[in-house]
Amino acid sequence: MAEKPPRAQSRREFVKNSAVVGTAAAVGVGESPFSIRTDQSQAIEWDRRVDVVVIGAGAGGFAAAIAARDQGASVMLVEQNFDIGGRAILSGGACYLGGGTWLQKEAGIEDSPEAVFYDWTLQDHPMNRYNDREIVRTYVDNCIATFDFLTENGVDWLPLGRASRLDSVPRRPSPRQWPIASEVIVPTQRGSGLMRPLERSARAKGVEILLSHRMTSFVREGPTSGRVLGVTAMEVDEWYEPTGRTVAIEARNGVIFATGGHSSNVNFRRMFDPRLTEEYQVHGDGWTPQNADGELAAMAIGASLWGTANQTNESDGQLSKGRLATRSNYHGLAFTPDAPNFFREKATGLRVRDWQNLILVKETGRRFYDETAGIRDYQYFYAAMQWTGDPNKLNGGGPIWAIFDADGVEREGWEVKPPYVDPDGYFFRADTLEQLAASIKSKYQWRPMPGATLRETVERYNSFVDSGVDEDFQKPRPLYKIQRPPFYAAWDTPCVHDTYAGIRMNTRAQVLDTQGEVIPGLYVAGESSGGFGQHGLGRAFVYGRIAGMDAAKNGREG
Amino acid sequence: MTDERAVHEPRLEVSRWFPSEVAAGAELTLQVRVTCPFGCDLRGAEVVVTAPEGPPILTSELVSSDQGINETSEVTLRAPSQVGEHEWSVLFRPQAGEAQASQPQSSQPQASEPPAHAGTSLALPFRTEAHRTSLAIWDVPSPAVVGDPFMVKIGAKCAEECDLQGRRIEVYDGSGDRLATAEFGETLWPGSDALYWAEVELVAPAGEGVVSWSVGFQAADLELPHREASAGFGFATTKPPEHQLTVEVVEVVKGEEGVEGGGGEEGGQGGSTVPVPNAEVSLGVYRASTDESGRAILAVAPGSYELLIWKVGYEAPARALEVSKDLTVRVEAADLHLSERSSWEDD
């Protein structure tokens, strides 16, 4: 084992001079596992040395890892979850990858990079308006190559469907679902058809995958100067609690983080929108949280945020009206009880067929909007996040509860018991409305719901059913009374989804600092990167591949 | 106690939360902790709970000891059945020589005899409340025919789940006049925890419109004090139905797309039609939903109405309808193809 070098020796010298240390738990990462390292002057004893370290085994991470390995680099891919896939494996699998791919040509669809660029920089949609056009241009120029790359690495594509509403021609291909059921995670979603082939290919090519490890810092030569030399990480258990084991991995060519964004980190997301307090849960958090690890570690060594207007464009994937009665209640995602992470999810939730079958109330027991609003209606979200009138809680609108009765359950065909609902804070049942209000116990319901208010709300709503006119919120023709016991309250607080802003990068996916200078040896891809508010997988695959190739080829020079 | 013996002053507290407000007559769980600052094991000593008058409510031994923290087991007490402010006292009264206090050898080495422990007490103020009750009224027909009798179900629940069998509820009209009374039966409403219920016959008022009535529950004659409850309910009234309106909701399928699964019939626009089941039909205050053949039948009074169709994923224009005889109307609903249009299904 190498002796610790004297303090005067530079880190670079030390790293050059010292042998790789094979012991784990050699690195202290501070009192809190998530504390920001700013003191980089202390010696690190590296547990492992590779050419490229990739953080996050989702779309961006696998594209980066395989692309770097294809260039001959040794690669270690680090993932906090017990399985690979990130959010990508939970997704529907549709990737914005067009511009004239072979799949488009087979279907006789004419497309070009120019057409893609035009579509993704149009001013008339908030998804496009705020994009960094240099980032978009390089994405556009790499779509075809990225699509071919995914095909070569085993992704089996379905025939193209119709054009997405943001595209002028069909260019959003989806994979076939992975055939091994136990590896699919969410049976209705096709994301496994992307991530499992990439996992197979990466492993076959020799990418080393380190699961159940959470990155804790990027190690840079100086606090905000010099190269990024590697990462520290800690082992976590199935609840993401630290086991006490840590690891330091040296990256000779570079570190690429594709950590999935910041949506799950309440403090971080409130930089963009202070309303998004703790009651707003996040899509798929029981699979792998988007906890801003990459952003925080990068900012700690000087990285800049970028494209923040995208995060507040209040459109599309940021928020969802959601499923009922479960915590991370994204409308398009239902885990089944045999999902490997179901012990964390705890309930499938209830899908609402007809929003006429319920009313939605705030923690005060009062309605606030037409319940039939669409799942992406931002006017609805504004109302849901409106101040509740409590001087002790100024930000956030508090939990939203769906209130319905036995007739509503029958009309919807719901089974109102576990594993469909989560009675531990997200679903309640009672014989009367007053008792229902009293039964609502949630860490986010910070004061009791007044039973008399809930009863008044329902009686008033029921009178609208008789009169045919919702005098308060103009729900079109309220159809059903809430009257037949038992009564139910189910969690329906808006759910946070996409991360649309993150760390500044250049068109080589190199991370830039607040002076606009490259941080040598650090790359970013996917939802942790800023400048491109595209929903989903396309930009993650494109920039992951760019980052992996660049780190392997040019990383040591940068 | 002799002068030679050291006297320890233990601390007395409630180790399990004791509520400041409880339902009258409710069960309370109490656990008492006696902590000796010198770490003495006080197992076997007794804790007594008393009320201002009467005999002790409870005597309980300290049964566990850990480094001077001595606790009783969790014991169940019943709160007074009278509503109001109460104060119980918890007393720790070791009698001389009775508590076999054993002291850790490391502390107070000068004491040659087992130490004595001072008695101490703790006040437990709390308030008892009358039981909360609440009501539900369901299966209210709407519309009801003016002047005709109809049935509704009314249930009441005590928050403490008291037996309400035989208790009475009263129904009042908008001006507070009593319209009916009923007694709860012995069976609970299926699926409920403790909802006692009755079916009540009422008579719709003579005028057309939207009616707002209320239900009151006094619960005065129960053994324990209960708060009264009231709740409102409403319904629309109409003239007696004279005509039958049959509404057929269909979707026109364009010829080139074909009709899967059969059941189609020729439409008027060159395509064929398929029935739309489970569409909600509303005609003024009348409601029905379509069956598998896309049909809904409503018995309605003559008059001018607006006919509306509601089904998720479909759109149908509202239309004015004059009903003066039996009628069959066909409404074409357009499938909005929501699932295909929404790219979010692919997310």
Side-chain angles (χ1 to χ4, degrees):
Chain A
M1 187 180 291
E3 282 180 22
K4 281 197 174 180
R7 301 277 284 191
Q9 188 179 18
S10 81
R11 172 171 303 281
R12 196 164 221 174
E13 264 176 71
F14 159 57
V15 170
K16 262 192 254 167
N17 296 342
S18 54
V20 171
V21 179
T23 54
V27 179
V29 289
E31 289 299 309
S32 154
F34 310 115
S35 69
I36 302 305
R37 288 183 72 97
T38 51
D39 177 10
Q40 302 292 318
S41 62
Q42 260 190 321
I44 286 249
E45 291 183 353
W46 299 109
D47 299 299
R48 289 292 309 276
R49 173 188 288 176
V50 292
D51 294 329
V52 175
V53 174
V54 181
I55 312 297
F62 265 104
I66 295 171
R69 188 77 194 104
D70 283 347
Q71 299 293 325
S74 59
V75 180
M76 181 175 281
L77 176 56
V78 181
E79 166 60 41
Q80 63 178 346
N81 197 9
F82 55 73
D83 194 0
I84 63 98
R87 297 302 169 105
I89 204 166
L90 309 181
S91 76
C95 312
Y96 285 111
L97 288 174
T101 63
W102 62 262
L103 192 67
Q104 289 177 298
K105 285 179 183 154
E106 267 189 10
I109 294 157
E110 280 196 32
D111 198 8
S112 67
E114 282 63 38
V116 180
F117 184 75
Y118 180 78
D119 284 354
W120 280 100
T121 53
L122 275 173
Q123 55 75 29
D124 65 352
H125 196 283
M127 291 279 276
N128 312 332
R129 186 181 302 149
Y130 304 107
N131 288 333
D132 178 332
R133 292 167 204 158
E134 290 187 26
I135 299 295
V136 177
R137 185 69 234 185
T138 298
Y139 153 81
V140 161
D141 291 337
N142 284 274
C143 277
I144 295 172
T146 303
F147 186 74
D148 290 342
F149 166 84
L150 295 174
T151 309
E152 284 156 16
N153 283 285
V155 177
D156 184 12
W157 300 101
L158 288 166
L160 273 176
R162 62 181 68 194
S164 142
R165 94 209 114 77
L166 292 170
D167 284 330
S168 49
V169 297
R171 62 163 84 95
R172 201 179 176 204
S174 290
R176 282 181 213 286
Q177 194 178 75
W178 185 244
I180 302 170
S182 63
E183 295 181 359
V184 166
I185 313 301
V186 185
T188 54
Q189 300 288 75
R190 297 198 192 101
S192 60
L194 298 168
M195 301 316 293
R196 293 303 179 191
L198 294 182
E199 179 193 11
R200 292 293 195 280
S201 178
R203 288 187 190 277
K205 289 175 172 178
V207 171
E208 194 176 343
I209 300 175
L210 183 64
L211 298 173
S212 300
H213 278 74
R214 184 171 178 183
M215 183 271 294
T216 47
S217 71
F218 300 139
V219 180
R220 194 175 183 185
E221 284 174 303
T224 55
S225 64
R227 280 187 60 80
V228 169
L229 305 171
V231 304
T232 59
M234 61 177 181
E235 188 182 57
V236 291
D237 66 13
E238 61 184 11
W239 292 101
Y240 297 113
E241 294 295 329
T243 64
R245 288 167 53 89
T246 59
V247 61
I249 310 162
E250 187 186 3
R252 282 176 295 211
N253 286 44
V255 172
I256 301 165
F257 69 97
T259 44
H262 68 249
S263 298
S264 311
N265 185 319
V266 174
N267 209 40
F268 202 96
R269 74 189 184 203
R270 291 190 66 210
M271 285 199 287
F272 306 96
D273 187 344
R275 295 171 303 176
L276 288 176
T277 43
E278 66 286 348
E279 63 268 38
Y280 301 102
Q281 305 298 303
V282 181
H283 156 244
D285 246 12
W287 175 246
T288 175
Q290 295 167 292
N291 41 24
D293 282 357
E295 287 90 328
L296 287 168
M299 289 168 77
I301 57 168
S304 173
L305 287 172
W306 197 247
T308 61
N310 272 317
Q311 192 58 55
T312 47
N313 67 28
E314 300 196 315
S315 72
D316 292 67
Q318 284 169 8
L319 293 168
S320 154
K321 198 169 156 206
R323 299 170 73 84
L324 308 183
T326 188
R327 183 176 66 91
S328 77
N329 56 331
Y330 182 62
H331 68 268
L333 192 61
F335 289 95
T336 52
D338 59 354
N341 62 320
F342 202 73
F343 66 97
R344 296 193 293 235
E345 290 290 341
K346 297 203 286 187
T348 66
L350 304 172
R351 180 176 174 275
V352 180
R353 186 182 54 80
D354 185 350
W355 294 87
Q356 286 274 13
N357 284 321
L358 50 84
I359 61 168
L360 297 171
V361 302
K362 294 206 165 193
E363 48 86 30
T364 54
R366 297 187 195 284
R367 288 177 72 219
F368 62 96
Y369 208 80
D370 163 20
E371 288 80 0
T372 63
I375 53 172
R376 297 291 192 195
D377 183 335
Y378 275 76
Q379 299 295 328
Y380 166 84
F381 298 133
Y382 304 153
M385 292 192 280
Q386 164 77 18
W387 181 45
T388 61
D390 184 343
N392 296 314
K393 179 169 167 60
L394 298 179
N395 279 303
I400 304 298
W401 298 101
I403 305 293
F404 47 92
D405 67 351
D407 289 334
V409 169
E410 194 178 318
R411 285 191 299 272
E412 286 283 346
W414 287 329
E415 285 201 64
V416 283
K417 59 184 183 185
Y420 307 102
V421 300
D422 180 359
D424 187 14
Y426 300 91
F427 185 78
F428 304 92
R429 182 190 70 90
D431 294 350
T432 64
L433 290 163
E434 286 92 332
Q435 289 276 291
L436 183 68
S439 74
I440 295 174
K441 300 234 169 24
S442 154
K443 64 176 169 177
Y444 305 108
Q445 178 83 28
W446 70 95
R447 56 182 182 180
M449 182 186 289
T453 306
L454 181 63
R455 181 169 53 73
E456 284 163 22
T457 296
V458 170
E459 284 178 9
R460 184 167 171 81
Y461 180 78
N462 287 350
S463 79
F464 297 157
V465 176
D466 283 328
S467 68
V469 180
D470 174 0
E471 291 172 23
D472 294 339
F473 300 105
Q474 292 75 50
K475 185 177 189 164
R477 196 77 179 98
L479 283 181
Y480 308 111
K481 290 185 183 181
I482 296 168
Q483 57 170 347
R484 188 182 179 86
F487 300 94
Y488 302 91
W491 180 263
D492 192 32
T493 310
C495 176
V496 182
H497 189 200
D498 286 55
T499 297
Y500 278 151
I503 294 298
R504 185 177 185 185
M505 64 175 176
N506 61 19
T507 56
R508 287 167 59 185
Q510 291 175 296
V511 171
L512 304 185
D513 67 15
T514 49
Q515 307 300 313
E517 300 292 330
V518 167
I519 297 178
L522 187 61
Y523 296 80
V524 62
E527 295 205 18
S528 290
S529 67
F532 195 2
Q534 185 183 62
H535 169 82
L537 301 156
R539 64 181 172 118
F541 281 130
V542 167
Y543 273 98
R545 177 174 163 275
I546 289 172
M549 290 195 311
D550 200 279
K553 279 199 281 197
N554 310 315
R556 291 191 205 200
E557 304 159 14
Chain B
M1 282 183 280
T2 68
D3 292 341
E4 298 302 314
R5 293 172 68 190
V7 176
H8 295 177
E9 295 194 349
R11 189 170 75 243
L12 184 61
E13 60 199 332
V14 172
S15 49
R16 200 188 138 102
W17 176 72
F18 192 85
S20 57
E21 271 190 17
V22 297
E27 280 192 351
L28 299 168
T29 305
L30 182 67
Q31 188 176 24
V32 178
R33 174 184 295 172
V34 182
T35 307
C36 173
F38 298 101
C40 292
D41 181 346
L42 299 174
R43 276 179 295 180
E46 283 183 344
V47 166
V48 181
V49 181
T50 63
E53 298 103 29
I57 299 168
L58 176 87
T59 302
S60 184
E61 261 186 31
L62 295 171
V63 294
S64 70
S65 180
D66 180 21
Q67 298 183 343
I69 299 171
N70 304 277
E71 286 184 309
T72 65
S73 52
E74 287 188 0
V75 290
T76 303
L77 296 166
R78 191 164 290 281
S81 53
Q82 302 78 28
V83 169
E85 306 287 344
H86 303 274
E87 184 168 297
W88 286 350
S89 297
V90 182
L91 309 175
F92 175 64
R93 281 188 306 206
Q95 289 167 9
E98 197 176 328
Q100 297 299 311
S102 64
Q103 194 181 3
Q105 289 189 339
S106 56
S107 64
Q108 298 227 331
Q110 76 276 13
S112 52
E113 288 188 59
H117 286 83
T120 178
S121 70
L122 173 70
L124 292 180
F126 62 97
R127 182 178 168 74
T128 48
E129 299 275 357
H131 293 196
R132 292 170 188 273
T133 62
S134 50
L135 295 166
I137 303 118
W138 67 101
D139 288 353
V140 181
S142 190
V145 174
V146 290
D148 275 11
F150 63 95
M151 306 296 285
V152 301
K153 297 189 180 76
I154 300 172
K157 162 93 188 280
C158 164
E160 305 302 313
E161 306 196 350
C162 288
D163 184 348
L164 303 180
Q165 185 191 339
R167 308 299 148 187
R168 299 170 77 85
I169 38 93
E170 299 184 330
V171 181
Y172 306 98
D173 67 12
S175 49
D177 290 337
R178 192 169 69 193
L179 301 172
T181 65
E183 265 182 25
F184 292 136
E186 60 180 330
T187 56
L188 299 178
W189 179 247
S192 75
D193 294 326
L195 189 68
Y196 289 84
W197 64 287
E199 195 157 25
V200 186
E201 186 179 275
L202 299 168
V203 178
E208 281 182 87
V210 175
V211 178
S212 216
W213 286 353
S214 64
V215 177
F217 177 55
Q218 297 296 338
D221 54 347
L222 284 159
E223 188 184 337
L224 291 169
H226 281 71
R227 286 202 203 173
E228 59 186 39
S230 65
F233 68 102
F235 55 93
T237 54
T238 60
K239 288 180 287 188
E242 292 176 28
H243 306 299
Q244 180 171 296
L245 174 69
T246 305
V247 179
E248 295 176 1
V249 183
V250 297
E251 180 196 346
V252 177
V253 181
K254 288 195 184 111
E256 62 270 22
E257 289 187 17
V259 181
E260 285 182 24
E265 46 187 281
E266 286 308 307
Q269 297 176 344
S272 56
T273 63
V274 289
V276 178
N278 302 317
E280 194 73 20
V281 175
S282 79
L283 183 84
V285 296
Y286 299 101
R287 298 286 162 71
S289 58
T290 57
D291 61 15
E292 284 306 307
S293 67
R295 263 184 209 94
I297 295 169
L298 300 97
V300 303
S304 302
Y305 299 97
E306 186 179 36
L307 175 64
L308 296 168
I309 309 296
W310 169 271
K311 180 169 180 172
V312 172
Y314 289 82
E315 194 172 61
R319 62 190 273 188
L321 203 62
E322 184 70 35
V323 179
S324 56
K325 57 182 171 75
D326 286 4
L327 272 182
T328 297
V329 295
R330 167 177 286 213
V331 180
E332 287 176 2
D335 187 342
L336 299 174
H337 297 284
L338 283 186
S339 61
E340 292 161 52
R341 278 170 25 138
S342 165
S343 66
W344 304 115
E345 298 295 322
D346 292 336
D347 294 348

